[in-house]
Amino acid sequence: MTTIFSGVPPIRFEGPDSDNPLAYRYYDADRIVAGRPMKDHMRWAVCFWHSFCFTGMDPFGWATLPRPWMAGPVDLAAATERLDAAFDFFSRLGAPYFTFHDHDVAPHAMTLRELIDGMARLEPLMAERMRKTGVGLLWGTANLTAHPRYAAGAATNPDPEVFACAAAQVHACLETTHRLGGENYVLWGGREGYDTLLNTDMRRELDQYGRFLAMIVEHKHRIGFKGAILVEPKPHEPAKHMYDRDAATCAAFLRRYGLEGEVELNIEANHATLAGNSFEHEVATAIAHGVFGSIDLNRGDPHNGWDTDQFAMDVGELTLVWRRILKAGGLRTGGFNFDAKIRRQSVSVDDLFHGHIGSVDALARGLLAAADLEADGKLDTFVSQRYAGWEGSEGKAILAGQVSLADVAKAALNRNIEPQPVSGRQEFLENYVSRFV
Ligand code: XLS
Ligand code: CA
Ligand code: CA
């Protein structure tokens, strides 16, 4: 089978001294790091939509990228050609996983029936190519944003018939994901929010969204899907405000609707930037609330306010994210999905390889640095010493709820305490961490 990627040789690990730009310099899949092979830590995936459906089009310009299957209306033949090109790409890159939306893989569909039928035809073709190449499915998801019916939201739409269409799409896509052995199922609510509060009953919409997620969880258990259900926070774009604003907002939402323990978060680096938070903050918050699930590894641009979906390259940032994940025991069902796209001017066929190779290597370098940092242990020691007072009997009694506000106040006055400020050592710690990156 010949595809547009046939001219690019399979990408292999060649080590840091290699001069070959089409090789991994740090990602050595079977290398043991902190007790596990790199590939088991990273569990990385290529996303179908940006890699094979994005044509380079922007609001000001037409398609620039060679994507022959997108040249005309995507019928079954074009969708099959696209699928073959995608699996050829995954294999050449050595990607362990991929991710998809129903609308990315199916032939072009306007009605619900066309989409469901199209997916039913594509699913066995996907299964067959997965078997042949050994590429796994990290997660599937339904596109609940593109179709005009979802302009006012999917689950949060004022019209229950629109909710029903969204339910039908998720029902089908979750079952396909399950049959394909998918390890997670993602929901990203790009239209679950509002453009203006003037026409919006927020309380009602939140209840609708909470019930939608609960129905999905119920169905997951009914069909025996063992993967995680993941919600992906993002503050805005396309809606002016989205209810899944950031990790902390989502954690509170899940708790309110009794979904904690059932639904986790897929944290995207670019969405952290849009929310005005750092990537590390979003991961740390999800972990602290017990809802961390998976990562979308695409960065934004600090200088503009939209979702540029670029390949993440900042090893320093990735080291800090890895540190959080390693400390939390690593990824379970989650992974690192490259929800990233090449630029409009990146018209060479090998550009899609360079994007992934660079970011896979940056991720591997971050892992190596974080593992060294953990092995050295001084940061952990510093942090635990900083809180050591809470391990004393008074600190423990406070946290265990054994003393009241009045008890604590009385003891403070009786003992005439006057605690002295202690250095937070930020500069020292930043210098220390930079030694590992
Ligand atoms: C869009 C989101 C989307 C989700 C999957 O901004 O990142 O691509 O990851 O629907
Ligand atoms: Ca994403
Ligand atoms: Ca995004």
Side-chain angles (χ1 to χ4, degrees), residues 49 101 139 141 186 188 232 234 266 268 271 296 307 339:
W49 52 103
H101 294 89
W139 48 262
T141 185
V186 164
W188 168 63
E232 184 175 322
K234 186 176 182 181
N266 183 41
E268 183 184 299
H271 299 174
D296 267 11
D307 208 9
D339 187 358

Side-chain angles (χ1 to χ4, degrees), residues 13 34 38 58 120 210 288 337 353 372 398 423:
F13 171 71
M38 253 188 177
D58 72 12
N337 172 45
F353 285 89
D372 288 347
I398 292 173
S423 172

Side-chain angles (χ1 to χ4, degrees), residues 373 376-383 385-386 423-436:
L373 192 63
D376 196 60
K378 292 198 187 70
L379 197 52
D380 289 341
T381 307
F382 176 85
V383 174
Q385 280 171 359
R386 190 160 181 250
S423 172
R425 308 282 272 162
Q426 180 168 340
E427 299 76 12
F428 167 86
L429 294 173
E430 285 172 355
N431 297 352
Y432 167 72
V433 167
S434 76
R435 299 211 312 252
F436 293 84

Side-chain angles (χ1 to χ4, degrees), residues 111-360:
T111 67
L112 187 58
R113 176 48 61 198
E114 277 167 1
L115 177 65
I116 304 290
D117 290 351
M119 275 309 292
R121 301 182 103 164
L122 260 288
E123 186 188 311
L125 306 185
M126 290 167 81
E128 193 254 342
R129 282 149 186 79
M130 286 173 69
R131 235 184 347 262
K132 253 204 197 135
T133 58
V135 178
L137 174 59
L138 185 64
W139 48 262
T141 185
N143 179 329
L144 303 179
T145 54
H147 195 283
R149 76 169 82 87
Y150 297 127
T156 59
N157 201 285
D159 181 350
E161 289 196 350
V162 177
F163 181 107
C165 290
Q169 250 184 276
V170 172
H171 178 267
C173 194
L174 176 59
E175 294 199 351
T176 293
T177 300
H178 180 41
R179 283 190 294 266
L180 292 176
E183 303 199 15
N184 304 271
Y185 184 84
V186 164
L187 289 126
W188 168 63
R191 309 262 182 211
E192 312 296 18
Y194 58 80
D195 291 330
T196 171
L197 278 171
L198 289 176
N199 62 15
T200 303
D201 181 343
M202 190 190 281
R203 173 62 198 263
R204 182 186 283 280
E205 292 199 358
L206 291 172
D207 286 351
Q208 287 172 212
Y209 196 28
R211 181 62 196 134
F212 186 61
L213 294 182
M215 288 164 87
I216 294 165
V217 168
E218 286 158 20
H219 194 67
K220 160 196 153 154
H221 290 302
R222 191 164 304 136
I223 63 177
F225 179 64
K226 296 280 175 268
I229 302 289
L230 302 169
V231 159
E232 184 175 322
K234 186 176 182 181
H236 51 76
E237 197 205 339
K240 171 187 160 57
H241 175 87
M242 272 129 56
Y243 295 132
D244 298 329
R245 192 184 187 287
D246 61 3
T249 311
C250 287
F253 177 87
L254 295 179
R255 205 165 302 128
R256 172 169 168 77
Y257 290 96
L259 295 162
E260 70 274 44
E262 290 288 1
V263 178
E264 296 172 349
L265 302 185
N266 183 41
I267 302 293
E268 183 184 299
N270 199 155
H271 299 174
T273 307
L274 293 178
N277 296 329
S278 71
F279 184 19
E280 185 194 6
H281 168 92
E282 285 293 273
V283 173
T285 302
I287 291 172
H289 286 278
V291 291
F292 175 69
S294 197
I295 299 269
D296 267 11
L297 193 58
N298 47 298
R299 73 169 199 265
D301 183 315
H303 304 292
N304 60 25
W306 68 92
D307 208 9
T308 58
D309 291 330
Q310 289 167 253
F311 286 91
M313 292 299 287
D314 184 339
V315 178
E317 180 180 60
L318 294 171
T319 302
L320 297 176
V321 166
W322 268 121
R323 175 172 172 257
R324 299 278 156 196
I325 295 175
L326 291 179
K327 211 168 270 315
L331 294 161
R332 291 179 311 108
T333 60
F336 284 89
N337 172 45
F338 291 96
D339 187 358
K341 59 175 181 261
I342 51 175
R343 301 301 94 187
R344 177 171 165 78
Q345 295 182 55
S346 303
V347 297
S348 293
V349 153
D350 61 351
D351 288 325
L352 193 61
F353 285 89
H354 292 298
H356 285 88
I357 290 168
S359 206
V360 168

